[in-house]
Amino acid sequence: DYAWHFSEGLAVVGKNGKYGFVDKTGKVVIPLIYDYAESFSEGLAWVYKNDKYGFVDKTGKVVIPLIYDYAYSFSEGLAWVKKNSKSGFVDKTGKVVIPLIYDYAWDFSEGLVKVKKDDQYGFVDKTGKVVIPLIYDDAYSFNEGLALVKKNGKLGFIDKTGKVVIPLIYDYADHFNNGETGVRVDDEHFYIDKEGRFLRYAD
């Protein structure tokens, strides 16, 4: 009834409302016993059964018990999980390495992950250490070494130490692409480099 693309040699399939995995010969290698499943990422796949999420390896062995209210695929060695409305991260053994204390968390990017707590945003590293305090009204994942952040309605960029490298003075800003990004102040649209220097006006 359902089939998804192959990822790491296996594909999610569904039949009669149950999901499992087949290999490229069509052989069922993980039985169709789950209420839902997601493609493999970094050797593990999340599965869902009885309203709980966990992770299985490619033999079908449950390596992280189905105890979470939500989970997301592994990225940079860690997976986001949620329990009792709080988010954190586990490693591939199921060990909680970033405590489930955040209201929300996103994928790791360039070694850091954006987290939200009490409507404020910051970044933590893979050990769970808060590298950039949760002081921003909004934030976006790191890209080309910088992250777009927002405070008091204005946007700017910080580096991985939390240092503001491009002041929060813009009404609009986009992610960096090949060392430049588009910004807007009032009605002026233009491009800047990673030092915040003017490059050219937008067309």
Side-chain angles (χ1 to χ4, degrees), residues 1-72:
D1 304 325
Y2 175 89
W4 195 232
H5 61 75
F6 279 89
S7 177
E8 300 185 6
L10 297 177
V12 181
V13 292
K15 191 174 184 181
N16 299 325
K18 294 296 181 180
Y19 295 80
F21 293 82
V22 296
D23 65 17
K24 290 184 178 179
T25 70
K27 178 186 175 184
V28 175
V29 291
I30 299 175
L32 283 68
I33 58 173
Y34 296 104
D35 298 331
Y36 199 68
E38 183 56 274
S39 299
F40 274 86
S41 175
E42 299 186 7
L44 296 177
W46 64 252
V47 291
Y48 175 70
K49 189 177 183 180
N50 299 327
D51 293 328
K52 295 295 180 182
Y53 292 76
F55 290 83
V56 295
D57 66 16
K58 291 182 181 178
T59 69
K61 178 185 176 184
V62 175
V63 292
I64 299 175
L66 282 70
I67 59 172
Y68 293 104
D69 299 330
Y70 199 78
Y72 201 68

Side-chain angles (χ1 to χ4, degrees), residues 45-195:
W46 64 252
V47 291
Y48 175 70
K49 189 177 183 180
N50 299 327
D51 293 328
K52 295 295 180 182
Y53 292 76
F55 290 83
V56 295
D57 66 16
K58 291 182 181 178
T59 69
K61 178 185 176 184
V62 175
V63 292
I64 299 175
L66 282 70
I67 59 172
Y68 293 104
D69 299 330
Y70 199 78
Y72 201 68
S73 300
F74 272 86
S75 172
E76 297 191 17
L78 297 176
W80 172 68
V81 292
K82 187 174 186 179
K83 192 175 183 182
N84 299 326
S85 299
K86 294 297 180 181
S87 298
F89 287 82
V90 295
D91 66 15
K92 291 181 181 179
T93 69
K95 178 185 175 184
V96 174
V97 291
I98 298 178
L100 280 69
I101 60 173
Y102 297 104
D103 297 331
Y104 203 82
W106 284 257
D107 281 343
F108 270 87
S109 178
E110 301 185 5
L112 296 176
V113 65
K114 177 178 71 166
V115 292
K116 177 185 179 183
K117 190 177 182 183
D118 300 327
D119 285 327
Q120 295 289 285
Y121 296 80
F123 292 83
V124 299
D125 67 15
K126 290 183 179 179
T127 70
K129 177 185 176 184
V130 176
V131 177
I132 299 168
L134 282 70
I135 59 172
Y136 294 103
D137 300 331
D138 203 354
Y140 300 85
S141 297
F142 273 88
N143 177 54
E144 295 191 12
L146 298 178
L148 179 62
V149 292
K150 185 176 185 179
K151 195 171 180 68
N152 300 323
K154 296 293 183 178
L155 296 156
F157 290 84
I158 57 174
D159 66 16
K160 291 182 182 178
T161 69
K163 178 185 175 183
V164 175
V165 293
I166 298 176
L168 281 70
I169 59 174
Y170 299 103
D171 299 315
Y172 167 84
D174 203 352
H175 298 291
F176 273 91
N177 184 26
N178 295 322
E180 63 178 42
T181 185
V183 295
R184 176 173 61 83
V185 176
D186 296 328
D187 292 325
E188 283 196 330
H189 295 254
F190 53 95
Y191 289 88
I192 58 173
D193 65 14
K194 286 186 175 181
E195 281 72 50

